[in-house]
Amino acid sequence: MDEPKDLYEPRKIEVKWRRKWEETGAHLTPTESDKPKYYCLDMFPYPSGSGLHVGHWRGYVLSDVWARYKKLQGFNVLHPMGWDSFGLPAENDAIKKQIHPEICVRRNIQNMKRQLQEIGAMYDWTREINTSSPEYYRWTQWIFLQMYCSGLAYRKEMPVNWCPRDKTVLANEEVIEGRCERCQSKVTKRQLPQWMLKITAYAERLLADLDRLSWPEKVKQMQRNWIGRSEGASIVFKVLTGSGQSRDLTVFTTRPDTLFGATYVVLAPEHPLVKLITDDAHREEVENYVKASLEKSEIERTQLTREKTGVFTGAVAINPVNGTRVPVWVADYVLAHYGSGAIMAVPAHDQRDFEFAAKYRLPVVEVISSSQAVRDGSGRLTQAYEGEGIMVNSGPFDGQPSAGGKRAVVEWLKEKGLADFTITYKLRDWIFSRQRYWGEPIPIVYCQSCGEVPVPEKDLPVLLPRVEKYQPSGTGQSPLATIPEFVNTRCPVCHGPAQRETDTMPQWAGSSWYFLRYPNPDLQEAAFDRKTVDRWLPVDCYIGGVEHAILHLLYARFFTKVLFDLGYLGFDEPFARLFNQGMVCKHSEKTGKLEKMSKSKGNVVNPDPLVERYGTDTVRLYELFIGPPELDSEWSDQGIEGVYRFLNRVWKWVLESRERLVPPDKEGEDIKRQIHTLIYRITERLEDFKFNTAVSAFMEFLNFATSAEVTSSGFSRETLEKFLILLAPFAPHLCEELWERTGHTSSIFGRQWPGYDRSLIQSETAQIAVQINGKVRAVITVSRGESESSVLKVAFDQEAVKRQLKDRQVIKHIFVPDRILNIVVR
């Protein structure tokens, strides 16, 4: 064995190589390159005072392995990092520490940057951005003004979600089960003037374009559900008030085939007709009910398990299909923003309406007949039947299948001017105002003569003033409203006295476009250069937590589509591929459960002591080894020891093997098969994002390589080099050091990812029957354990398969590893 000086000393090695990488500019991304581009991006962090724990590390290690792999494949890789430093998280941290947010953010960034640099990630720090720097938020304000001038930003007084603890308005997406997403306080309602972004104008495109994205289906479905597209019809009922007046009331329904069974109508408490149609006998009761409803969150109002409540207005409506008079009620389970804010209630065929009708003894009329309906001994429904069937008690439509009746009823009423086909969405416009200090000032001034006036681009940024007292007031006004020197200004149009808008933008504003700034972070003349961003974007691989599925990802897509429509971008989706890493969990002694890491649960693992003891590469490799990257994994303090021993064995094996190298033609055939099998396995597992099994493959190879009979025969330089290149993305410091010690003067990351010879892959072949709709059309030979994606590529290249797929649509694949691939088409 070598002298003690050749012991594996990770801390010494890692400091050395991080210094070398910085001195040589190893991680800088050339602006111009003949290589194909690859943009790998992490969801940037907000600078937390507690720094990074090992759960945070996981995503950053995953992205770095992938970025280094793409670099070794010959790509010009852009892998930047920055800070999402405006908004509630940073301000609340500053309040807790009783210091100014700017100071708090600066300190937190300094600490987190040190931790990120210790990860050894190949971030190009010359492209670092900070959303709370004036140089950056100048352009966030500019984007807002583009939306304002396009009619996509507007101000409106409306009931909003109010967090009593954070003392600010919350977007609908920030309210989870009636509570603030951040502090878990119960959310109430307030009536306040708010700035809104018209994201609803993009609802259909945001929905349809999900099909173009290589994203986890779970995330796409979460966005589909949030956008909430419903196809149905708008039906006009005539409402008769106690005074004899008649008013039109439009209701939205997805089941016009059940219209003959509508036995009452329900208005949302916020509906403008409530005040107009309520008679004097019911007015006090209705007003009290409306007031109480507005105090509740929408989650509370629409919970399926909650008992339904409502009050009668005293008015009746005329059912347009049969002239029946039905009572008009107000109930909080109907929401003003969904559909028209009014529904026709069909208790026989909607369980919510059924429960309401049972409570208030309203009629139940069955109009869809089915043997699947649940009845009592007398034949009466005991619950609503919500499926399809045959229309009954429906006048001229009796006997028709309900599926066809939906359209027929609407067409019939449309001829009379009483209905039309309609599409609605659950998605609502984005509440863009916050009554907090630490955020981008909204660049609008109010002039008595000119009204709302946008701040001219030449006057941007509207700077956030430095103040001593920034804590939220709780009055519904931002702390900026108490600063006369900020509020009082001049109108850009008439130059008369004016006041600035004092609300700030939400924490999501800066993160909705930051990916556009990285390719040109120092550009002074514009937010980004179109030629540059069109070359780099969309982001090729975006990595982050699934918790951002609705908020950040939806907003970023919206911003991108707006900028595309305005001609500033040549693409309308920001992230081509998305990968969501799972959380790292640990047993909590406080709760007795396996929990997500958090200080409150006492189960946070700080990576700093681990790095000091085992080295960065060990922590990196263990983060990858603990489980499939897309799933939650359990942290074990003991498990990291095994990975540390593995890297020590790699160190020893490479240094010992370099002393007795053999020519390639003298190397054993079993070694050649093993190294080519390793290349194949690592490549395939990386492509499939199976990082944990890639680490297992390295361990299996090392067990083979260090067995007595193999060690004695010796390895070629080529085998050692291929092994180190494969391991380099996972353990970059170790591999750079061993690369240098095996006689190389340039970085290992300047080499090319090795290819493999299929004929040398351990004879691990399998014959797979390729079926089209269950019939065998081809048999292909592939390596045993081949991934589904690889098998599909080979199968689709077969002429027999190509003929069968011509002019047909592939619905799905059914894959049984090493045996069958069934392609279902129509």
Side-chain angles (χ1 to χ4, degrees):
M1 179 59 189
D2 296 274
E3 296 296 321
K5 66 178 182 177
D6 282 335
L7 290 175
Y8 178 43
E9 298 178 280
R11 294 298 289 145
K12 183 177 178 181
I13 290 168
E14 289 163 4
V15 169
K16 167 189 170 181
W17 283 102
R18 283 199 289 274
R19 185 176 62 249
K20 276 199 172 186
W21 291 334
E22 186 174 357
E23 289 172 353
T24 60
H27 301 153
L28 301 183
T29 303
T31 303
E32 301 294 333
S33 174
D34 294 334
K35 297 178 179 179
K37 72 93 180 178
Y38 196 91
Y39 191 171
C40 179
L41 184 62
D42 296 282
M43 293 183 185
F44 66 165
Y46 71 85
S48 162
S50 55
L52 301 176
H53 59 62
V54 295
H56 300 123
W57 262 55
R58 192 182 198 193
Y60 302 132
V61 172
L62 287 169
S63 70
D64 189 59
V65 171
W66 185 251
R68 289 180 180 277
Y69 167 60
K70 300 309 288 186
K71 184 172 184 175
L72 285 164
Q73 283 190 314
F75 287 91
N76 182 29
V77 177
L78 174 59
H79 190 38
M81 179 51 72
W83 312 101
D84 189 11
S85 56
F86 255 153
L88 275 175
E91 185 173 321
N92 286 344
D93 189 39
I95 290 172
K96 183 178 178 181
K97 295 174 179 174
Q98 298 184 333
I99 57 177
H100 194 276
E102 185 179 346
I103 297 171
C104 188
V105 162
R106 186 167 61 247
R107 290 177 182 174
N108 294 346
I109 286 176
Q110 187 177 12
N111 179 50
M112 290 180 68
K113 186 172 182 178
R114 172 192 62 79
Q115 289 184 303
L116 286 172
Q117 289 172 328
E118 283 200 336
I119 288 175
M122 53 175 278
Y123 294 129
D124 182 348
W125 286 105
T126 66
R127 298 173 183 267
E128 180 181 6
I129 60 173
N130 180 347
T131 61
S132 63
S133 70
E135 295 78 16
Y136 181 88
Y137 71 74
R138 167 190 181 185
W139 299 111
T140 307
Q141 292 173 339
W142 176 82
I143 292 172
F144 174 86
L145 291 177
Q146 307 313 302
M147 293 188 180
Y148 178 82
C149 295
S150 303
L152 294 171
Y154 64 95
R155 196 166 184 254
K156 176 183 179 183
E157 184 158 314
M158 61 180 297
V160 294
N161 305 306
W162 180 262
C163 176
R165 181 173 175 182
D166 286 335
K167 298 178 182 178
T168 191
V169 167
L170 301 177
N172 299 305
E173 296 87 342
E174 295 172 299
V175 180
I176 308 298
E177 296 184 355
R179 295 187 176 273
C180 173
E181 179 196 41
R182 292 209 54 78
C183 70
Q184 307 305 309
S185 298
K186 188 174 180 180
V187 172
T188 60
K189 289 285 186 179
R190 281 197 178 186
Q191 195 81 13
L192 292 173
Q194 297 292 302
W195 279 98
M196 312 288 292
L197 295 188
K198 203 170 184 180
I199 193 172
T200 52
Y202 285 78
E204 186 59 37
R205 285 168 63 186
L206 288 168
L207 182 67
D209 291 349
L210 286 168
D211 294 337
R212 295 161 39 196
L213 303 178
S214 180
W215 286 18
E217 187 57 34
K218 176 183 177 181
V219 173
K220 293 200 282 188
Q221 193 57 46
M222 289 169 75
Q223 290 209 1
R224 290 186 189 108
N225 292 341
W226 188 259
I227 295 167
R229 186 180 194 271
S230 293
E231 293 186 15
S234 296
I235 312 290
V236 179
F237 282 67
K238 294 286 184 182
V239 177
L240 305 179
T241 65
S243 62
Q245 290 182 313
S246 172
R247 295 182 181 274
D248 285 351
L249 171 66
T250 300
V251 304
F252 173 76
T253 179
T254 58
R255 291 296 303 270
D257 53 317
T258 66
L259 189 51
F260 283 85
T263 60
Y264 62 100
V265 168
V266 185
L267 303 182
E270 304 92 337
H271 199 291
L273 274 185
V274 171
K275 291 181 180 179
L276 300 176
I277 66 173
T278 301
D279 64 20
D280 292 339
H282 297 86
R283 189 169 304 281
E284 183 178 358
E285 184 182 14
V286 169
E287 288 178 349
N288 289 337
Y289 183 84
V290 169
K291 183 178 179 181
S293 298
L294 296 181
E295 292 296 316
K296 300 173 184 175
S297 72
E298 291 183 5
I299 298 294
E300 288 178 283
R301 287 169 56 175
T302 56
Q303 282 178 334
L304 294 176
T305 56
R306 174 178 165 268
E307 184 180 5
K308 308 300 180 288
T309 63
V311 289
F312 178 43
T313 63
V316 295
I318 307 298
N319 189 327
V321 293
N322 55 18
T324 303
R325 293 190 174 204
V326 298
V328 179
W329 286 66
V330 177
D332 61 7
Y333 71 82
V334 178
L335 302 177
H337 64 83
Y338 183 66
S340 61
I343 66 163
M344 62 176 212
V346 186
H349 304 293
D350 183 286
Q351 186 61 28
R352 184 181 54 177
D353 297 344
F354 185 88
E355 293 168 4
F356 191 93
K359 179 175 180 178
Y360 294 105
R361 299 183 179 180
L362 296 166
V364 177
V365 177
E366 188 176 359
V367 293
I368 305 295
S369 178
S370 171
S371 60
Q372 296 178 16
V374 181
R375 308 174 189 278
D376 60 17
S378 63
R380 289 180 301 184
L381 293 172
T382 58
Q383 65 184 55
Y385 172 68
E386 297 181 335
E388 302 289 352
I390 301 299
M391 295 177 70
V392 296
N393 300 319
S394 299
F397 301 97
D398 281 354
Q400 287 195 29
S402 59
K406 292 176 182 178
R407 185 167 193 87
V409 170
V410 179
E411 294 282 10
W412 183 55
L413 287 176
K414 188 175 180 180
E415 292 177 2
K416 302 175 183 181
L418 296 174
D420 205 351
F421 298 99
T422 308
I423 295 173
T424 65
Y425 301 89
K426 289 182 183 176
L427 181 69
R428 284 169 293 157
D429 285 345
W430 179 6
I431 301 172
F432 205 66
S433 292
R434 296 295 183 272
Q435 293 67 45
R436 297 291 291 245
Y437 166 72
W438 191 242
E440 301 90 342
I442 293 174
I444 296 290
V445 300
Y446 301 103
C447 173
Q448 287 189 349
S449 301
C450 306
E452 281 176 8
V453 181
V455 173
E457 183 179 333
K458 67 180 179 60
D459 295 333
L460 298 179
V462 176
L463 291 170
L464 186 66
R466 179 68 186 269
V467 297
E468 294 302 319
K469 185 178 179 182
Y470 61 86
Q471 289 79 1
S473 64
T475 64
Q477 280 195 314
S478 162
L480 295 179
T482 65
I483 308 172
E485 54 269 33
F486 174 79
V487 174
N488 297 319
T489 186
R490 290 281 170 182
C491 173
V493 177
C494 71
H495 307 295
Q499 287 75 46
R500 292 193 187 279
E501 171 61 68
T502 58
D503 283 356
T504 54
M505 297 185 197
Q507 68 197 64
W508 312 103
S511 64
S512 293
W513 73 279
Y514 77 109
F515 42 88
L516 302 174
R517 188 68 176 169
Y518 280 132
N520 31 221
D522 300 318
L523 189 65
Q524 299 294 316
E525 301 78 26
F528 43 81
D529 172 67
R530 172 159 179 180
K531 182 179 178 182
T532 303
V533 294
D534 281 357
R535 182 169 71 247
W536 279 107
L537 280 94
V539 172
D540 294 284
C541 188
Y542 196 35
I543 298 176
V546 74
E547 66 270 18
H548 299 297
I550 294 173
L551 295 165
H552 162 61
L553 290 172
L554 191 66
Y555 296 157
R557 296 181 63 220
F558 168 54
F559 266 51
T560 302
K561 289 182 183 299
V562 170
L563 292 169
F564 170 79
D565 286 352
L566 295 177
Y568 294 112
L569 301 175
F571 52 91
D572 66 350
E573 284 289 347
F575 315 119
R577 180 183 184 183
L578 173 70
F579 183 83
N580 297 130
Q581 81 273 9
M583 295 183 295
V584 177
C585 304
K586 193 173 188 292
H587 181 80
S588 167
E589 292 185 2
K590 290 186 177 181
T591 67
K593 300 177 182 177
L594 186 65
E595 302 263 19
K596 173 186 176 181
M597 287 187 182
S598 74
K599 286 199 297 183
S600 64
K601 295 184 174 68
N603 64 344
V604 167
V605 177
N606 184 344
D608 292 354
L610 297 173
V611 169
E612 186 64 35
R613 180 175 178 182
Y614 299 108
T616 291
D617 285 341
T618 295
V619 182
R620 284 174 61 108
L621 214 61
Y622 184 60
E623 292 270 9
L624 301 169
F625 185 56
I626 55 177
E630 72 277 10
L631 301 180
D632 294 349
S633 299
E634 181 177 2
W635 181 271
S636 166
D637 293 331
Q638 292 73 42
I640 197 169
E641 290 278 358
V643 173
Y644 182 59
R645 288 194 298 271
F646 165 72
L647 289 182
N648 270 280
R649 291 175 62 212
V650 169
W651 176 267
K652 180 180 178 182
W653 171 68
V654 172
L655 292 184
E656 287 183 346
S657 298
R658 71 174 178 175
E659 301 302 325
R660 46 176 180 270
L661 296 172
V662 300
D665 60 344
K666 300 294 184 181
E667 192 173 45
E669 286 299 312
D670 54 344
I671 294 175
K672 291 179 180 177
R673 285 196 298 270
Q674 286 286 345
I675 193 64
H676 279 267
T677 299
L678 181 67
I679 297 168
Y680 161 73
R681 286 176 175 169
I682 300 302
T683 304
E684 291 296 300
R685 292 173 190 185
L686 278 174
E687 290 292 336
D688 291 339
F689 264 62
K690 303 299 182 186
F691 297 88
N692 58 316
T693 59
V695 176
S696 298
F698 283 120
M699 293 177 173
E700 291 169 14
F701 176 84
L702 192 64
N703 288 338
F704 160 82
T706 54
S707 60
E709 62 274 17
V710 175
T711 302
S712 61
S713 65
F715 297 87
S716 68
R717 174 177 293 278
E718 287 83 351
T719 292
L720 290 185
E721 289 180 348
K722 287 173 181 176
F723 177 85
L724 289 175
I725 293 171
L726 293 175
L727 186 61
F730 299 82
H733 309 86
L734 171 78
C735 292
E736 285 275 35
E737 181 68 18
L738 289 174
W739 189 254
E740 183 179 77
R741 290 189 180 220
T742 50
H744 299 88
T745 56
S746 59
S747 170
I748 192 171
F749 292 100
R751 301 303 288 260
Q752 190 74 21
W753 189 258
Y756 55 85
D757 185 339
R758 281 190 175 272
S759 67
L760 293 175
I761 302 179
Q762 275 195 342
S763 303
E764 289 186 351
T765 58
Q767 289 193 321
I768 295 181
V770 181
Q771 301 176 342
I772 309 292
N773 290 344
K775 294 185 177 180
V776 177
R777 300 297 184 181
V779 176
I780 59 175
T781 301
V782 298
S783 300
R784 190 169 298 279
E786 194 86 61
S787 67
E788 180 177 355
S789 59
S790 297
V791 172
L792 279 168
K793 289 177 186 176
V794 177
F796 285 154
D797 281 340
Q798 307 302 304
E799 288 301 323
V801 174
K802 288 180 181 178
R803 287 195 299 271
Q804 291 293 322
L805 295 182
K806 187 177 181 181
D807 300 325
R808 302 175 81 175
Q809 181 183 359
V810 176
I811 305 301
K812 63 179 180 178
H813 318 112
I814 301 169
F815 179 60
V816 180
D818 299 334
R819 295 181 61 194
I820 295 170
L821 172 66
N822 184 18
I823 303 170
V824 181
V825 301
R826 67 180 177 193

